[in-house]
Amino acid sequence: MRTDRFGQAAIAGLGMTELGKVYGPSPRRLAAQAVRAAVADAGLTLDDVDGLLVSHGMSGSPGIELAETLGLRDLRLLTHMNAFGATAGAMVSYAAMSVISGAADTVACVFADAPLKPRQPAGSAYDSAAREYYGFTGMTAALGFRSVNAFYALAAQRHMARYGTTGEQLGAIAVATRRWAGMNPLAQMREPITVDDHQNSRWVVEPLRLLDCCLVSNGAVAVVVTSADRARDLARPPVHIWGWGQGHPGHRLERGSEFGLVTGAATSGPVAMKMAGVTADDIDVCELYDCYTYTVLVSLEDYGFCAKGEGGPFAASGALAPGGSLPTNTGGGQLSAYYMWGMTPLSEAVVQARGHAAERQVTKNDVILVSGNGGILDHHSTLILSPQPRGHRP
């Protein structure tokens, strides 16, 4: 594939269902609704779609059977993908490569999930306490590591021990994200919070408090990827895909590993930026995967927005908040808006690139970085998006 063709794909459509406490529809039904909305948003019909990429979810993933539900015919690309929270970025990159190579012309990418149940606490949606454990995993479970929260708490604690990162610095990320959410009508949590509120919220797993942890949401989000030339003539402003990359460290819980200190962003970020022809200094907006405040902090370091170990002071400086030097998670992210895995940062990036974010619209949006994080820092994806065609210099 010629490198001069990397910028010849664009996101042309965005579709979102109702998000949050949405009870009743199955993930497949939600996914179908989102795909139809994304296709209509682009000014296309389902007959134009010849590729479908479906992201795995936690509660009955839609699967490739979604194609039948939508009535799609003669597809040239169809697959079910799973890199957990990194899947959205990976789907868009594969869709772009398919469009660039001619393997498909119009590819829909969708994530749907419905883990929330009526009259059940949100925390039970991902509860693993009742699972059976075998071998070495049984030993970690006996020590209390029975949830994603526990493993991310271990990662955050290691960063704190190594670099002196504080809970108040994590709180600054939660506060900045909530300020952005206050301007997003789709956000589940819009009430302002302070660092004191963060510090007074209950422990989930020390050092992570309630306000360090993301929401749980039901719903679906889809995007449509096609050629940049075609996207220019469609209903919405094209969001050009300048670059992409993946990183899969594979070093969890190994002696001497960098678990908690370095993530896959350190691999995927340079690859995506090199492909896009930009550096961290060129990035105007960040939409980072924020399943926890800690993941924002460590991702900022690994992408090169600050030195390793300086993520805490950088966040505490106000750089991420409205009016800051690096607007980050401008829709409220997964901490305050909605939790749609990697589709949360991707959907907000599309809105910002189009200039459709209303009150929260950033003034400079030439280059937008989107991250996805999957597993326990096991997988990472990065996208570089822009409202400008590739070749435009920020």
Side-chain angles (χ1 to χ4, degrees), residues 27 60 62 97 103 109 115 120 129 134 152 160 183 189 218 238 258 281 294 297 308 310 330 350 358 361 378:
M97 286 187 278
C109 307
Q120 292 185 12
Y134 302 93
Y152 272 99
M160 289 176 156
M183 296 182 279
M189 307 296 291
N218 292 353
E258 296 181 314
D281 290 338
Y294 153 76
L297 183 148
K308 179 54 66 177
E310 295 183 5
T330 54
V350 172
Q361 180 65 48
D378 296 310

Side-chain angles (χ1 to χ4, degrees), residues 331-345:
Q334 299 163 322
L335 291 170
S336 290
Y338 48 88
Y339 182 56
M340 287 285 105
W341 283 20
M343 281 295 187
T344 299

Side-chain angles (χ1 to χ4, degrees), residues 7 21 42 45 52 99 117 125 159 161 176 253 255 265 306 317 331 349 383 389:
K21 296 180 180 180
T45 70
L52 178 64
V99 167
K117 305 300 179 186
H159 196 282
L253 300 184
R255 179 186 294 272
C306 58
S317 74
L383 297 173

Side-chain angles (χ1 to χ4, degrees), residues 21 35 43 71 122-123 203 377:
K21 296 180 180 180
V35 170
W203 293 114
L377 305 176

Side-chain angles (χ1 to χ4, degrees), residues 105-365:
D105 293 327
T106 307
V107 182
C109 307
V110 63
F111 169 82
D113 208 0
L116 281 176
K117 305 300 179 186
R119 296 178 297 281
Q120 292 185 12
S124 66
Y126 294 98
D127 184 18
S128 60
R131 296 177 186 171
E132 295 184 7
Y133 296 89
Y134 302 93
F136 184 72
T137 60
M139 182 179 295
T140 58
L143 294 173
F145 287 88
R146 300 187 179 190
S147 71
V148 172
N149 292 330
F151 282 102
Y152 272 99
L154 180 65
Q157 189 68 63
R158 190 174 188 201
H159 196 282
M160 289 176 156
R162 176 68 63 87
Y163 299 116
T165 306
T166 68
E168 289 82 1
Q169 291 167 346
L170 296 179
I173 296 173
V175 170
T177 306
R178 183 63 64 87
R179 286 183 62 191
W180 286 113
M183 296 182 279
N184 183 2
L186 295 180
Q188 291 178 233
M189 307 296 291
R190 301 182 65 188
E191 302 81 7
I193 58 173
T194 66
V195 172
D196 284 343
D197 292 329
H198 171 273
Q199 290 292 286
N200 290 326
S201 64
R202 66 174 175 83
W203 293 114
V204 175
V205 182
E206 193 174 354
L208 299 177
R209 298 179 179 274
L210 180 64
L211 292 179
D212 287 308
C213 304
C214 70
L215 300 166
V216 180
S217 308
N218 292 353
V221 180
V223 295
V224 172
V225 176
T226 189
S227 71
D229 287 341
R230 186 183 189 199
R232 280 193 290 270
D233 297 325
L234 296 178
R236 298 291 189 178
V239 178
H240 297 270
I241 306 166
W242 282 14
W244 54 82
Q246 292 187 38
H248 307 274
H251 59 204
R252 178 162 35 127
L253 300 184
E254 292 182 357
R255 179 186 294 272
S257 82
E258 296 181 314
F259 175 71
L261 306 179
V262 179
T263 73
T267 301
S268 65
V271 171
M273 291 185 204
K274 182 179 180 180
M275 187 184 298
V278 301
T279 69
D281 290 338
D282 298 313
I283 304 298
D284 299 316
V285 185
C286 279
E287 305 297 349
L288 302 181
Y289 197 95
D290 60 338
C291 49
Y292 302 90
T293 53
Y294 153 76
T295 58
V296 174
L297 183 148
V298 73
S299 296
L300 289 166
E301 295 176 350
D302 289 343
Y303 280 127
F305 295 112
C306 58
K308 179 54 66 177
E310 295 183 5
F314 184 67
S317 74
L320 315 183
S325 60
L326 186 67
T328 298
N329 293 346
T330 54
Q334 299 163 322
L335 291 170
S336 290
Y338 48 88
Y339 182 56
M340 287 285 105
W341 283 20
M343 281 295 187
T344 299
L346 177 59
S347 59
E348 177 64 14
V350 172
V351 173
Q352 288 287 345
R354 288 175 169 182
H356 293 173
E359 182 184 1
R360 68 184 189 279
Q361 180 65 48
V362 299
T363 56
K364 197 169 186 298
N365 65 345

